[in-house]
Every structure is written in structure tokens, then in C-alpha cells.
Amino acid sequence: MSYLVLARKHRPASLDEVVGQEHVTKTLAGALASGRLAHAFCFTGPRGVGKTSVARILAKALNCETGPTAQPCNQCQQCREIDEGRAVDVQEIDAASNSRVEDVRELREVIRYRPQAARYRVTILDEVHMLSKAAFNALLKTLEEPPEHAVFILATTDVHKVPLTILSRCQRYDFRRLPPKTLAAHLAQVLEAEGCRLPKESLALMAREA
């Protein structure tokens, strides 16, 4: 069996498993339960606080065969494919390396078509602040009049670099930096699951450095 790095092995699989972002996960769960979801989201916050993980969970919640639901089953074909990064209707794009207007125009062409197998065609744009001005303008056209089957999730560490015209079309969620105490407790759980133990002082030091 191939080795799986801890960051991937212990990545949260549901909103309940996300640590330290209850203000985000509870709001999203409520929106999923009521069926009142935006077509575009902006997840902003420091690195390593769960923006991309929550984006993937939201993609599963929207496309799970039992959904849309705040509790994706993690067993159906759609959930498994999204977890494994091979879902054809869920695109995760690094905006830093796809920042040109041509890249966004190509994305717009794909978005026009209905999803092949899922309920929604979900596009996750990571580090969206890296898009060029022309690319932002091209993206704005799609955010203004999106297809009913399209959902956009924009993730960024520098939200001040994202044009207000883009932000005004998104539902914004600000992710917080995790307190050292919360992070240390989570590290202890991961170590326990791996059959290891560390002194509290070592956990505290790791959490503070992180």
C-alpha cells in the first residue's frame, strides 16, 4: 500500500471535522440545509487554515448522491471522486499559474456546458488574487450571469488584491488563524490516531511555530 502523507490522510472529510472555523462551517451547513446557496463564494484567510479543504467539502456537499446536504456520505461515486481529485465536474485551478485572460476565457467556455455526471459544475480558483486585471474582467462577466449549474469558490490569502466588483458578486467567508491551544489539541488527536505520543510542551511548541 502506498504511503499517504499525514496532511492528506487527516484532511477533514466533512464540515464537522473542520477545526477552528465553526463560524464558517455552521453558516455553510445552514445554507445547505435550507437550500439557499450562493453561486459564488470567496474564502479568505491565512495559509493553512482550511480554505481549500472546506471548498472540496462544499463541492461534495453539493454533488453527493444524497444531497445537496450538509453531511456528504463520503461513500458514493461523486464523493469518492472529489476526495481523490478526479471528478470531471469539479475543477481545482491554481490561479497563480493560470492567470491570463485566455485561461479564464477557456474556463468560461467549459462552464457553459452542463456537468457530465454531477449535479453542479464546481470551479475552485485557488490564490485568485493572482489573476491579471483582464482575467478578472473576463471572470466578472461569468459571475454576473452564471449558468444555474455552475458554482464558483474563490480562495485567497490576499483578499485586498481582489477587485471589489468580484467580491460584490461573492458570498465572503473569512477564515481565522487557529489559536495555539486548539491546534495543539488537534495535533494530539492526529498523533493518537497514528499511535504516537508527545509531551504537552512539545505540542505547544509545534502549535506556536505553526
Side-chain angles (χ1 to χ4, degrees):
M1 185 176 179
S2 60
Y3 174 72
L4 194 63
V5 296
L6 293 180
R8 292 181 60 192
K9 185 177 179 180
H10 294 281
R11 181 190 289 270
S14 66
L15 292 174
D16 290 341
E17 294 179 13
V18 178
V19 176
Q21 308 296 343
E22 289 78 12
H23 62 295
V24 172
T25 55
K26 287 182 179 179
T27 305
L28 288 175
L32 286 160
S34 64
R36 301 180 67 179
L37 279 163
H39 69 275
F41 301 84
C42 180
F43 292 170
T44 177
R47 300 182 190 280
V49 293
K51 299 186 295 298
T52 306
S53 293
V54 173
R56 292 177 182 173
I57 294 169
L58 180 56
K60 285 194 297 183
L62 290 168
N63 287 323
C64 179
E65 291 177 6
T66 65
T69 174
Q71 297 289 340
C73 69
N74 293 314
Q75 301 297 324
C76 68
Q77 182 177 346
Q78 286 300 319
C79 284
R80 293 200 311 271
E81 288 184 353
I82 293 170
D83 275 337
E84 294 166 9
R86 56 184 180 89
V88 294
D89 296 312
V90 177
Q91 282 186 291
E92 188 170 336
I93 300 170
D94 176 22
S97 53
N98 296 273
S99 60
R100 303 173 307 158
V101 64
E102 291 82 4
D103 297 318
V104 175
R105 284 174 179 162
E106 183 179 334
L107 172 63
R108 286 172 56 188
E109 284 299 311
V110 174
I111 289 295
R112 289 171 49 199
Y113 299 102
R114 297 196 64 82
Q116 295 182 31
R119 191 177 292 110
Y120 291 95
R121 189 179 288 277
V122 181
T123 302
I124 302 170
L125 278 169
D126 200 15
E127 298 299 346
V128 71
H129 64 273
M130 298 293 288
L131 290 180
S132 66
K133 183 178 180 180
F136 271 127
N137 289 336
L139 179 62
L140 180 61
K141 297 292 183 182
T142 304
L143 292 181
E144 285 177 335
E145 298 178 7
E148 61 179 13
H149 58 262
V151 174
F152 290 88
I153 306 174
L154 316 182
T156 177
T157 52
D158 291 306
V159 70
H160 63 280
K161 294 182 181 178
V162 180
L164 291 176
T165 49
I166 296 290
L167 291 176
S168 66
R169 269 79 177 177
C170 300
Q171 196 171 82
R172 176 173 166 174
Y173 291 85
D174 288 79
F175 285 63
R176 300 168 182 162
R177 193 182 300 276
L178 272 65
K181 186 176 180 180
T182 301
L183 195 52
H186 182 60
L187 287 171
Q189 291 177 0
V190 171
L191 285 170
E192 185 178 349
E194 292 294 317
C196 304
R197 296 189 69 180
L198 274 179
K200 289 184 178 180
E201 295 78 8
S202 299
L203 289 171
L205 177 60
M206 290 172 62
R208 188 167 68 248
E209 290 298 315

